[in-house]
Amino acid sequence: MSSLQIGIVGLPNVGKSTLFNALLKKQVALAANYPFATIEPNIGVVEVPDERLAVLADATKESEKLKVLPPLKYALVEFVDIAGLVAGASKGEGLGNQFLANIRQTDAICHVLRHFSDPQVLREGSVDPIQDLAIIRTELQLADLETLQKQNAPKGVVSKDEHARWATIQHFLAQIEAGQNLHCQTEIEHLVAKELCLLSAKKEIFAINVDEQDLTKTEEISASFAKQLQVPVTQIVLISAKIEGELATLAAEDQELYMSDLGIKESGLSRLAKVAYDTLGLQSFLTAGEIEVKAWTIRRGATAQEAAGVIHTDFSKKFISAKVVSFQDFVSLGGWVACKEVGKVRQEGRDYLMRDGDIVEFMIGK
């Protein structure tokens, strides 16, 4: 499938580049204590944590009688570090036009909101998470308003589709003028929003950048922000960009010890990657063999034929069938052969709707 991107967006100095650097586990973005340290967007691909792969590798090693564990290949999400927006960005303030253009190319937005107390990091317009988000959303909405107002009403005899498109534009205008983000519910709304690259229609997640001591109160603070921001709590991730940056420099064992000392079980970045994957409407199917154990990315609702095409475009064209077994059966029974012996391997056709965690072997023609 084509690459899907999440843009890391926020006011200057809220921790975006620090977060991005931690995601990549290396310093590829300039993290500096002054506004507009980021000019060009930095892009990086990040693994989505998936505990099933290690379990699947163990089961594969045993069933295939391998001497070593097959390598693990995780699903990926692409993050884009976009320079800080400021009030007036929709009118070009702070290189706003360039930054807004970068956001247009992404599939979803990760709002980084400052809730840490370090007075040595300049605020540069940041007040508090609620007002900061309002500033960002206002600029995105103003940019969308300009885009929508440039659209011309259809003239003369128009088709049903043209009429529906214009009605949708009018509906969007009403929402924007009311100071609301666009909430696409119908197919035509999704099509128009995608055609016009409307910023305020993009899916959102919220990374609240907090102090170290707040990490042990994740559920409480997340619930509070979900209520204040009026968004589902599942879209909120509490992180300490400073701590995540420190974790990223440590070996895996040392990371576990450090998190234990902090009183947390999972890094904020692991949770952010998972939330990002889910927000994009993605799921994984798995393949297991001597060469590798891999999670492949597909959209929710993808068919077996579409999933085959993710491995190779020819697989989609020459698709015959798919052998499918559930993750639970594969692991508990011990591999393909054992699952087949007890009738747990299903033969599925091209229109089979894939499920998250399906273990698949595709039958491909010549």
Side-chain angles (χ1 to χ4, degrees):
M1 64 181 294
S2 59
S3 177
L4 297 174
Q5 295 182 339
I6 289 189
I8 299 178
V9 174
L11 296 178
N13 294 352
V14 297
K16 300 182 308 303
S17 292
T18 303
L19 174 62
F20 182 80
N21 287 334
L23 277 164
L24 296 187
K25 298 183 181 179
K26 56 184 178 181
Q27 289 292 115
V28 297
L30 173 62
N33 184 21
Y34 55 86
F36 309 120
T38 303
I39 302 299
E40 295 296 330
N42 299 290
I43 299 175
V45 177
V46 182
E47 292 180 340
V48 180
D50 191 334
E51 297 82 0
R52 297 173 299 190
L53 292 189
V55 177
L56 189 56
D58 283 331
T60 301
K61 180 176 181 290
E62 291 298 320
S63 65
E64 301 294 329
K65 301 187 181 339
L66 304 176
K67 293 183 179 180
V68 296
L69 287 171
L72 310 183
K73 298 289 182 68
Y74 292 90
L76 304 172
V77 170
E78 194 166 284
F79 282 87
V80 184
D81 178 29
I82 296 172
L85 289 173
V86 295
S90 60
K91 301 300 181 184
E93 291 294 328
L95 302 179
N97 291 332
Q98 181 180 345
F99 301 158
L100 291 170
N102 293 333
I103 299 173
R104 289 190 196 281
Q105 305 308 312
T106 64
D107 299 279
I109 294 173
C110 173
H111 293 282
V112 180
L113 303 173
R114 175 173 176 161
H115 191 55
F116 61 87
S117 55
D118 189 346
Q120 295 184 1
V121 179
L122 302 176
R123 281 198 169 269
E124 292 299 332
S126 173
V127 180
D128 60 62
I130 309 305
Q131 293 189 53
D132 293 357
L133 179 61
I135 292 171
I136 298 296
R137 279 180 166 174
T138 295
E139 294 306 320
L140 301 184
Q141 290 166 11
L142 288 173
D144 284 349
L145 181 63
E146 183 177 354
T147 298
L148 292 165
Q149 289 176 336
K150 289 180 179 178
Q151 305 307 304
N152 296 318
K155 297 179 180 180
V157 179
V158 298
S159 67
K160 182 179 179 181
D161 288 345
E162 289 176 305
H163 177 76
R165 179 183 183 278
W166 183 244
T168 299
I169 289 172
Q170 297 306 301
H171 175 61
F172 283 166
L173 276 169
Q175 286 183 282
I176 294 293
E177 288 169 351
Q180 301 172 359
N181 265 11
L182 302 178
H183 299 287
C184 300
Q185 298 178 328
T186 66
E187 183 178 358
I188 185 64
E189 288 175 345
H190 284 288
L191 287 173
V192 173
K194 184 176 182 180
E195 172 203 343
L196 300 179
C197 297
L198 298 178
L199 301 168
S200 63
K202 293 184 182 294
K203 295 180 179 180
E204 298 174 305
I205 57 178
F206 306 88
I208 313 296
N209 193 3
V210 299
D211 291 317
E212 173 186 327
Q213 60 268 26
D214 290 333
L215 294 176
T216 57
K217 300 179 286 185
T218 295
E219 291 186 9
E220 175 187 341
I221 296 174
S222 295
S224 174
F225 274 114
K227 185 176 181 180
Q228 294 179 69
L229 298 173
Q230 297 183 320
V231 299
V233 71
T234 52
Q235 291 176 243
I236 291 179
V237 180
L238 253 64
I239 57 105
S240 168
K242 181 179 178 181
I243 294 298
E244 297 298 334
E246 294 172 0
L247 280 170
T249 64
L250 301 177
E253 291 184 2
D254 293 331
Q255 287 182 16
E256 295 290 336
L257 289 173
Y258 191 16
M259 286 192 292
S260 177
D261 290 341
L262 293 172
I264 57 177
K265 296 180 180 179
E266 186 178 26
S267 75
L269 297 185
S270 292
R271 287 180 283 112
L272 181 62
K274 291 176 183 177
V275 170
Y277 200 67
D278 185 63
T279 297
L280 288 172
L282 305 176
Q283 64 181 10
S284 299
F285 72 88
L286 312 174
T287 55
E290 181 178 354
I291 297 177
E292 65 183 12
V293 170
K294 183 168 182 175
W296 300 84
T297 300
I298 53 175
R299 62 177 177 80
R300 287 197 290 266
T303 65
Q305 185 176 23
E306 290 170 332
V310 172
I311 296 179
H312 196 287
T313 52
D314 283 350
F315 283 20
S316 178
K317 298 173 185 176
K318 301 176 182 179
F319 180 94
I320 296 176
S321 64
K323 292 181 180 179
V324 182
V325 63
S326 73
F327 172 80
Q328 291 78 7
D329 287 338
F330 189 97
V331 171
S332 63
L333 295 172
W336 282 107
V337 174
C339 287
K340 186 175 182 180
E341 288 175 350
V342 296
K344 292 296 184 179
V345 177
R346 310 189 308 274
Q347 197 87 4
E348 302 289 358
R350 65 183 63 231
D351 295 327
Y352 167 70
L353 295 180
M354 300 291 293
R355 301 172 186 169
D356 185 61
D358 277 345
I359 300 175
V360 188
E361 184 178 320
F362 293 107
M363 302 296 103
I364 306 300
K366 294 182 179 179

